[in-house]
C-alpha cells in the first residue's frame, strides 16, 4: 500500500506543543467508578497545576461493552465535580475527533505506516489455528502468539490480500533485548523483550485495540503526561516499543495503584461497591467525594486534608502519589461529607437539603427553612434527612420507654408530671415563637428547681416520638405550631397515664 507521507507531516504539524497536556480517556460502559474518578481528578490536577490543558477523549473501540447514555454520565460527572475539560467531543479542539470510533481512518493510516517501519505485520491466522496454539499451553500462563505470520514474504502477503483473507495487524516485538519503562510512581522497570507478545493492534473489523489507539491518540493530541491504573504498567513496554518504532517522544507515565475495598479485593461494581453516581444518591456531596478521592493514594505535604478543588490545584504534586493500593473507607468519606455540609452557607445547605426534607414533610404549614438550620450542624449524609424530620409530618408510633432518661433521672412518673405541668403553661401562651416557648419552659424549670432535661426531655419526646432529633424541644414546638404541639403533648400524657394501669 502506497502511503501519503505528506498526510503524516500534516498530522504532526497539528500537534500542540510547549505546554502540559493531559487526557482523561474513559470507556463509556455505564457508570463512573471511584478509580475512574480518581484518574480524571489526578489528570485534571496535573494539567491545571502546570497551567496546561485537560482533554477528554472517549475510548469506544470496544463496541461490545458500550452502554447507551454512558457518555452523558461522563459529561455529567465531570461537570458536577468541576473538572472542566478544555477539549473534547462536546467542546471541540484542534486535534479532534475526540471519539475513537471517529478516528478509524487515522488508526488505519498509522498502522500501515508502522508496518512500513517494521514495527507491525499482518496476521492471517484463523481462529482454528489460534485455538490450537492456545491449547499447547500448560494452563498456568497465557500462550504467546508464535509469530507465524511475521515471517510471510511480500508475495505470500499479497496473495492472501488478493484472496480476501481476513487479517489483523500485530505488533512486531524485537526478539532480543530489553525495553525500559520510566514511571513517576513505580520508578524504572526493565522487561526482556522475549517475555512480550506480538499483540493485536488493529482488529479485523478495522478498529484498533486499546494498546494501539491510546498511543496514536496520545501522540497526535500532544499528551505529555499519561495517568492510568497500574494494571496497565505491564503493557507499558509495548507502548514504548510503539513510540520508538514511530520515532516519537514517550510521555511521562503516572501509573496509580488500585483503589481497594479491603486489603485483598479491588472495588467492583459487580460486588456491590458504589460508583460515583451511587455515592451521590447516598447523599454525599460531589465536593466531599472529590476531596476524599484525591487522598486515595496521594499524600499532601503537611497535615491538612480538607481541600477545595482550587486548593488541590495549588498543592497537588505527582511525587505524592503512592505505589501502595488505597483502601476506600466509607466512614472517612462520611466524615468528609459532614465537614462539607457544615461549611456550606445556610442558603446552599437549604437548597441541597430541601428535596430530602420534602420527601418526608409535605404539610404546607411546616416551614422547611426553619428546619434546615437545625439539621446542618448534625447532618452526615443528605439521605439521612427524611428519617430525621419525618416526625414534623406526623407523630410516629413510639414506646413510652423513650421518656426514661437516666442521666437526668427522669422516669415515666416524673415525665408524666412534667408534661402535665407544661401543658397548661404552653396552652396559656398568647404568642407562639421560640422566645416565648423558651421563656415558658425554662421558667417552669426554675419554678420546679430541677435540671433542664427533667422538663425538656419529656416535652421533646412527646412532640417528636424520637430519641434523637434535629433541634431541641423549644425549636420543635415553635416549628410545629401551637395546636399541633399541644395535641402531641396531650397524647403523651394519655400514653403515660395508660401505661400506669
Amino acid at each position: 500500500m502506497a502511503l501519503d507521507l505528506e498526510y503524516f507531516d500534516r498530522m504532526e504539524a497539528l500537534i500542540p506543543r510547549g505546554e502540559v497536556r493531559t487526557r482523561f480517556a474513559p470507556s463509556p460502559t455505564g457508570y463512573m467508578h471511584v478509580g475512574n474518578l480518581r484518574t480524571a481528578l489526578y489528570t485534571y490536577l496535573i494539567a491545571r497545576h502546570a497551567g496546561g490543558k485537560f482533554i477528554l477523549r472517549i475510548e469506544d473501540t470496544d463496541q461490545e461493552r458500550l452502554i447507551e447514555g454512558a457518555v452523558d454520565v461522563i459529561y455529567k460527572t465531570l461537570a458536577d465535580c468541576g473538572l472542566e475539560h478544555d477539549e473534547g467531543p462536546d467542546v471541540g479542539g484542534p486535534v479532534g475527533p475526540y471519539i475513537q470510533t471517529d478516528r478509524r481512518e487515522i488508526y488505519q493510516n498509522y498502522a500501515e505506516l508502522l508496518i512500513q517501519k517494521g514495527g507491525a505485520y499482518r496476521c492471517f491466522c484463523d481462529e482454528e489455528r489460534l485455538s490450537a496454539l492456545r491449547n499447547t499451553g500448560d494452563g498456568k500462563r497465557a500462550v504467546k502468539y508464535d509469530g507465524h505470520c511475521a515471517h510471510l514474504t511480500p508475495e505470500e502477503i499479497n496473495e492472501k490480500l488478493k484472496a480476501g483473507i481476513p487479517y489483523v495487524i500485530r505488533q512486531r516485538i524485537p526478539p532480543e533485548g530489553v525495553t525500559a519503562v520510566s514511571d513517576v510512581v513505580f520508578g524504572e522497570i526493565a522487561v526482556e523483550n522475549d517475555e512480550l507478545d506480538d499483540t493485536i493492534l488493529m482488529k479485523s473489523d478495522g478498529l484498533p485495540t486499546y494498546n494501539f489507539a491510546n498511543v496514536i491518540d496520545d501522540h497526535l493530541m500532544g499528551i505529555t503526561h499519561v495517568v492510568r491504573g497500574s494494571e496497565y504498567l505491564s503493557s507499558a513496554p509495548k507502548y514504548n516499543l510503539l513510540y520508538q518504532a514511530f520515532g516519537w517522544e514517550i510521555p511521562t507515565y503516572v501509573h496509580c495503584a488500585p483503589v481497594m475495598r479491603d486489603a485483598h479485593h479491588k472495588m467492583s461494581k459487580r460486588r456491590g461497591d458504589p460508583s460515583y453516581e451511587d455515592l451521590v444518591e447516598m447523599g454525599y456531596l460531589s465536593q466531599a467525594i472529590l476531596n476524599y478521592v484525591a487522598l486515595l493514594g496521594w499524600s499532601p505535604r503537611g497535615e491538612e486534608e480538607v481541600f477545595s478543588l482550587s486548593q488541590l490545584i495549588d498543592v497537588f504534586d505527582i511525587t505524592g502519589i503512592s505505589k501502595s493500593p488505597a483502601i476506600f473507607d466509607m466512614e472517612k468519606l462520611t466524615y468528609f461529607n459532614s465537614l462539607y455540609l457544615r461549611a456550606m452557607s445556610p442558603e446552599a445547605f437549604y437548597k441541597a437539603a430541601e428535596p430530602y426534607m420534602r420527601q418526608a414533610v409535605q404539610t404546607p404549614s411546616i416551614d422547611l427553612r426553619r428546619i434546615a438550620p437545625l439539621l446542618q450542624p448534625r447532618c452526615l449524609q443528605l439521605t439521612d434527612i427524611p428519617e430525621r424530620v419525618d416526625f414534623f409530618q406526623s407523630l410516629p408510633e413510639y414506646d413510652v420507654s423513650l421518656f426514661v432518661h437516666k442521666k437526668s433521672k427522669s422516669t415515666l412518673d416524673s415525665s408524666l408530671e412534667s408534661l402535665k405541668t407544661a401543658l397548661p403553661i404552653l396552652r396559656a401562651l398568647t404568642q407562639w415563637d421560640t422566645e416565648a416557648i423558651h421563656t415558658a419552659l425554662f421558667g417552669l424549670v426554675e419554678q420546679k428547681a430541677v435540671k433542664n432535661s427533667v422538663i425538656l426531655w419529656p416535652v421533646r419526646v412527646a412532640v417528636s416520638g424520637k430519641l434523637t432529633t434535629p433541634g431541641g424541644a423549644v425549636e420543635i414546638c415553635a416549628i410545629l405550631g401551637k395546636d399541633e404541639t399541644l395535641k402531641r403533648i396531650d397524647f403523651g400524657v394519655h400514653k403515660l397515664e395508660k401505661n400506669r394501669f
Side-chain angles (χ1 to χ4, degrees), residues 55-287:
I55 292 94
L56 173 64
R57 184 173 75 224
I58 302 299
E59 298 197 339
D60 62 342
T61 55
D62 190 349
Q63 295 285 294
E64 293 180 0
R65 297 180 62 224
L66 301 186
I67 295 179
E68 186 177 354
V71 174
D72 291 333
V73 170
I74 294 168
Y75 291 149
K76 185 177 187 305
T77 302
L78 294 180
D80 287 351
C81 293
L83 306 182
E84 183 179 358
H85 48 284
D86 302 289
E87 302 169 25
D90 54 335
V91 296
V95 288
Y98 294 90
I99 297 178
Q100 284 190 333
T101 49
D102 293 339
R103 299 172 63 83
R104 186 188 303 247
E105 184 179 351
I106 295 173
Y107 306 128
Q108 291 170 344
N109 287 334
Y110 276 90
E112 293 296 334
L113 178 63
L114 187 63
I115 291 173
Q116 188 176 95
K117 288 178 172 290
Y121 59 91
R122 291 177 175 81
C123 174
F124 298 89
C125 293
D126 57 23
E127 182 54 37
E128 182 179 355
R129 183 180 189 280
L130 295 174
S131 179
L133 180 63
R134 286 191 290 269
N135 290 334
T136 62
D138 55 12
K140 295 181 181 179
R141 54 184 174 179
V143 177
K144 291 169 52 179
Y145 178 66
D146 60 2
H148 172 75
C149 290
H151 307 293
L152 294 176
T153 65
E155 292 75 21
E156 289 173 320
I157 294 172
N158 285 332
E159 283 183 18
K160 293 179 181 296
L161 290 174
K162 288 179 181 179
I165 298 175
Y167 66 89
V168 299
I169 296 177
R170 289 184 181 272
Q171 182 174 7
R172 189 189 298 274
I173 302 293
E176 299 176 348
V178 174
T179 299
V181 173
S182 178
D183 183 76
V184 169
V185 179
F186 289 86
E188 302 297 321
I189 300 168
V191 177
E192 297 285 342
N193 289 340
D194 63 7
E195 295 180 12
L196 304 175
D197 191 13
D198 287 7
T199 49
I200 295 173
L201 302 179
M202 295 288 291
K203 295 175 283 188
S204 58
D205 62 2
L207 284 174
T209 60
Y210 172 85
N211 287 337
F212 189 56
N214 87 88
V215 169
I216 300 302
D217 290 343
D218 286 345
H219 173 71
L220 295 180
M221 293 182 180
I223 302 304
T224 60
H225 294 70
V226 173
V227 183
R228 58 182 163 227
S230 58
E231 65 269 23
Y232 293 103
L233 189 59
S234 61
S235 298
K238 297 179 184 179
Y239 306 149
N240 280 11
L241 287 171
L242 288 174
Y243 281 108
Q244 291 166 9
F246 281 116
W248 295 339
E249 183 178 352
I250 297 171
T252 299
Y253 290 141
V254 184
H255 286 87
C256 300
V259 179
M260 309 288 284
R261 176 205 297 174
D262 53 43
H264 305 289
H265 302 94
K266 288 184 181 181
M267 287 189 74
S268 168
K269 181 74 171 175
R270 289 190 298 272
R271 294 176 178 268
D273 295 318
S275 65
Y276 166 79
E277 294 87 349
D278 293 331
L279 292 173
V280 171
E281 289 182 5
M282 292 163 65
Y284 292 98
L285 298 173
S286 294
Q287 305 97 305

Side-chain angles (χ1 to χ4, degrees), residues 43 350 395 423 427 483:
T43 304
Y350 174 78
L395 187 67
L423 196 56
R427 185 177 286 120
D483 291 346

Side-chain angles (χ1 to χ4, degrees), residues 399-456:
D399 192 271
V400 292
S401 61
L402 292 183
F403 285 106
V404 177
H405 191 270
K406 293 181 180 180
K407 191 173 182 180
S408 64
K409 299 182 180 179
S410 294
T411 64
L412 297 181
D413 287 338
S414 67
S415 292
L416 176 59
E417 178 62 27
S418 293
L419 292 182
K420 282 185 170 182
T421 308
L423 196 56
I425 292 175
L426 292 173
R427 185 177 286 120
L429 291 177
T430 57
Q431 182 177 329
W432 192 264
D433 55 29
T434 302
E435 184 178 353
I437 298 167
H438 183 279
T439 300
L441 292 180
F442 278 83
L444 183 57
V445 167
E446 186 175 347
Q447 176 188 329
K448 294 287 187 180
V450 295
K451 292 181 178 179
N452 295 345
S453 58
V454 172
I455 302 296
L456 299 180

